[in-house]
Amino acid sequence: MKQLSFKKLGAASILAIGIITGVVLGNALTVGTSSVTPGTVNDPVVTKSYVDEQIAKLGGSGASGGGSSSASQALEVVTVPVGKTLMVNAGSEAVVRGGKAIAYSSDANGISDVTAGVDIKKGSPVPANHLIWFPREGRGIQASSDSKTSLIVLVKGTYTLE
């Protein structure tokens, strides 16, 4: 049996490593290229107004339930008459600006007073000028039972008056 010399074995190994390296680098360079042409059906160019319209659609508008409804990313001044409840949807925010408000919740949990860092339980007073966040559906703000004036509330998000 003929033995291979270390020189021949070394040269064959270097050649094999060179070929493998060339194949791997060649594949890596072609992976990043794209055959899609910008502006075609596969890669459309869109206008800013189209993007704004699609973003507005994602934000949605209105809410289900009785009464009037509204949705906004800006603060909206809402007057809540005595006897009505401002139901604010999950993720929305409110600030009581005028009147005597109490928290409403359809369950035992409350609403988040972000300014004070506390949870306001159902039936408890909602302080004026505090940022209130509504973590779930079924929560809101209403005028206190002994109040004779409407509430003035700034709302950011979707709400209904019930």
Side-chain angles (χ1 to χ4, degrees), residues 46-124:
V46 296
T47 62
K48 180 184 179 303
S49 61
Y50 174 80
V51 172
D52 290 344
E53 178 184 321
Q54 297 307 310
I55 290 172
K57 285 180 184 177
L58 289 175
S61 64
S64 61
S68 61
S69 69
S70 179
S72 175
Q73 292 305 313
L75 288 174
E76 184 177 342
V77 179
V78 179
T79 301
V80 183
V82 176
K84 294 280 189 175
T85 301
L86 174 72
M87 297 298 291
V88 186
N89 289 353
S92 297
E93 304 168 351
V95 177
V96 176
R97 292 291 292 150
K100 201 170 166 188
I102 59 168
Y104 172 82
S105 179
S106 59
D107 57 26
N109 296 310
I111 56 179
S112 299
D113 181 343
V114 178
T115 304
V118 297
D119 188 47
I120 303 173
K121 298 293 183 192
K122 178 179 181 175
S124 298

Side-chain angles (χ1 to χ4, degrees), residues 116-147:
V118 297
D119 188 47
I120 303 173
K121 298 293 183 192
K122 178 179 181 175
S124 298
V126 178
N129 301 314
H130 281 218
L131 177 61
I132 308 300
W133 183 69
F134 298 82
R136 292 192 182 112
E137 303 297 323
R139 291 170 170 74
I141 297 174
Q142 54 191 179
S144 176
S145 60
D146 62 347
S147 181

